[in-house]
Amino acid sequence: MKAGTKLGLLAFVLAVGAALVWFRMTRLVSLPDDRSVLVVVFLAAAAMGVVAYFKGTSLLGGVPPAAAIVMGLFLPFTIAVSKQTVEVDKVIALGDSIPHFSALDASGELFDSDVLHGHLVLIKFFRAHW
Amino acid sequence: MRRLEELRAEFDQRGVQVVTVSTDSPDDIAAERHLHGLQAVMLSDVQLTVTDAFGLRNTGFHSAPLSHESVALPVPATLLVDAEGRVLWLDLSKDYQRRSDPAVVLAAMREHFDTLR
């Protein structure tokens, strides 16, 4: 086995491992605020993938380093660009009355916020089930 | 959602109604419910009308897959509202991949709901 093929496989394993940790943390909603360690691991996997090509790989052995480079660069990229912004002056403020709203519930019935009146309520906004 | 359900006893004890709003379709919400077991009114806000009424649309770029016809996402947020409909507590998540921790929600309920009576 060529040296580059071996290194490429190692890079691939590292990238997949980091991605699995990443998705597991996302699933559990326990991503830490500071993700620099994960970013470093991803970038290291990408770098190893590049080095693997310089060392020379077989034709088939060229696939894992390519995957490592894509994953190693893509996930840090999503971290870097996924800054969320809200228009602060539009966000409901403490002490405000909540707006009246209606929406479909899980059974497709129309829910009207008037029924919340007289109850303590917790309202949770979240992205979606994924 | 599963994390929120950990607070079930705390919600019941205070008579708190739990309402969730997401961009999932009603079908998706129904299909996912068995996964988290959350007993709540789970609303589908595909067009973000409810999200916009609260001013919680995330106008930033995000790398997440969009669910169905939804074009944008709400900022993850948790609100505590009193019986008159006033916002007592508002927790905005800094990151759409993170949400309010149950411990934070419980502390807020103790601070804001338990001092009402």
Side-chain angles (χ1 to χ4, degrees):
Chain A
M1 198 188 276
K2 287 191 176 181
T5 303
K6 264 189 234 173
L7 189 65
L9 274 175
L10 196 63
F12 179 71
V13 169
L14 192 63
V16 169
L20 287 177
V21 170
W22 169 265
F23 286 118
R24 186 180 148 74
M25 284 168 132
T26 306
R27 187 97 190 137
L28 297 174
V29 198
S30 59
L31 279 174
D33 275 331
D34 180 9
R35 293 167 214 162
S36 45
V37 174
L38 272 166
V39 171
V40 167
V41 173
F42 278 125
L43 294 179
M48 281 165 64
V50 173
V51 173
Y53 281 121
F54 281 108
K55 285 191 179 281
T57 63
S58 59
L59 196 59
L60 202 62
V63 177
I69 292 168
V70 170
M71 276 192 282
L73 293 181
F74 180 72
L75 286 169
F77 171 75
T78 73
I79 297 171
V81 298
S82 300
K83 292 280 182 280
Q84 69 183 9
T85 38
V86 280
E87 289 166 54
V88 176
D89 52 334
K90 286 191 186 164
V91 177
I92 192 163
L94 291 180
D96 279 1
S97 290
I98 59 167
H100 174 259
F101 61 90
S102 58
L104 295 180
D105 68 14
S107 45
E109 308 267 329
L110 193 68
F111 172 87
D112 189 294
S113 65
D114 284 345
V115 305
L116 297 175
H117 205 81
H119 293 280
L120 297 178
V121 184
L122 180 148
I123 306 178
K124 188 173 182 69
F125 288 84
F126 65 103
R127 41 176 206 185
H129 64 271
W130 41 266
Chain B
M1 295 301 102
R2 202 179 306 123
R3 304 290 317 276
L4 200 58
E5 190 58 24
E6 290 168 16
L7 297 176
R8 172 52 45 200
E10 304 286 345
F11 294 141
D12 289 347
Q13 180 192 330
R14 295 170 175 83
V16 175
Q17 295 259 7
V18 180
V19 177
T20 70
V21 181
S22 73
T23 56
D24 285 329
S25 70
D27 285 349
D28 282 339
I29 296 171
E32 286 285 312
R33 194 183 283 265
H34 72 280
L35 290 180
H36 51 70
L38 181 65
Q39 300 166 47
V41 176
M42 301 192 72
L43 301 178
S44 167
D45 191 31
V46 175
Q47 303 298 329
L48 277 81
T49 42
V50 181
T51 301
D52 282 338
F54 284 79
L56 292 172
R57 181 188 287 252
N58 180 1
T59 55
F61 174 83
H62 54 77
S63 61
L66 296 173
S67 60
H68 303 277
E69 55 268 67
S70 172
V71 291
L73 293 174
V75 176
T78 308
L79 293 86
L80 294 181
V81 180
D82 72 10
E84 280 77 50
R86 277 188 301 264
V87 178
L88 299 180
W89 180 74
L90 171 64
D91 182 42
L92 284 187
S93 170
K94 275 180 290 179
D95 181 333
Y96 71 88
Q97 289 164 325
R98 294 170 57 81
R99 301 169 206 178
S100 305
D101 194 85
V104 176
V105 174
L106 179 57
M109 286 204 294
R110 288 195 172 126
E111 184 184 344
H112 296 286
F113 282 170
D114 297 356
T115 49
L116 287 177
R117 38 198 118 151

